Amino acid sequence: MSKVDSANKVHVANISDLSVGVGQRVNVAGEEIALFKQKDGVIRAIQNSCPHKGGPLSEGIVSGEHVFCPLHDWKISMKDGQVQAPDVGCVKKYDVEVVDEAIYIVMD
């Protein structure tokens, strides 16, 4: 991840706080965000609300780079926030920066 102005990033967790494939809900500047650690160690952050009925994505089942909404099983890419066909929609994706053990979300 590229380094950004520290005024635009917020420390939300440490790598040791996350378990692979288990979402964690964090709040940043009034936005609820789902934070995930993938098997390959990549940290992803997306809006914590499914565009269908607002299901909490941090409670969803993770498979690869996707999370399944716990309410109606919509499949959402954690990489780009896109809902997978046949469903349509998207969630906001947040850039993540990891410095040593600290995880930062880049806010725009």
Side-chain angles (χ1 to χ4, degrees):
M1 302 282 162
S2 63
K3 300 241 182 223
V4 296
D5 180 358
S6 62
N8 293 337
K9 64 183 180 180
V10 178
H11 179 256
V12 293
N14 294 318
I15 291 178
S16 60
D17 297 332
L18 302 178
S19 298
V20 173
V22 178
Q24 181 172 324
R25 180 177 54 92
V26 297
N27 287 295
V28 178
E31 296 183 45
E32 194 167 292
I33 299 170
L35 196 61
F36 298 94
K37 179 179 177 182
Q38 296 179 211
K39 280 185 182 182
D40 61 4
V42 172
I43 307 297
R44 302 277 186 202
I46 58 174
Q47 174 185 338
N48 192 37
S49 180
C50 179
H52 178 230
K53 297 275 184 174
L57 297 178
S58 61
E59 297 176 20
I61 295 173
V62 173
S63 177
E65 289 192 352
H66 295 91
V67 61
F68 290 83
C69 178
L71 296 184
H72 298 103
D73 211 31
W74 278 33
K75 183 179 180 182
I76 300 167
S77 169
M78 293 184 288
K79 189 173 183 177
D80 62 14
Q82 293 297 310
V83 172
Q84 305 300 290
D87 302 311
V88 294
C90 66
V91 296
K92 184 174 180 180
K93 179 209 168 276
Y94 298 86
D95 289 330
V96 173
E97 184 176 330
V98 177
V99 179
D100 297 321
E101 282 284 309
I103 300 168
Y104 296 87
I105 291 180
V106 179
M107 302 301 288
D108 44 25

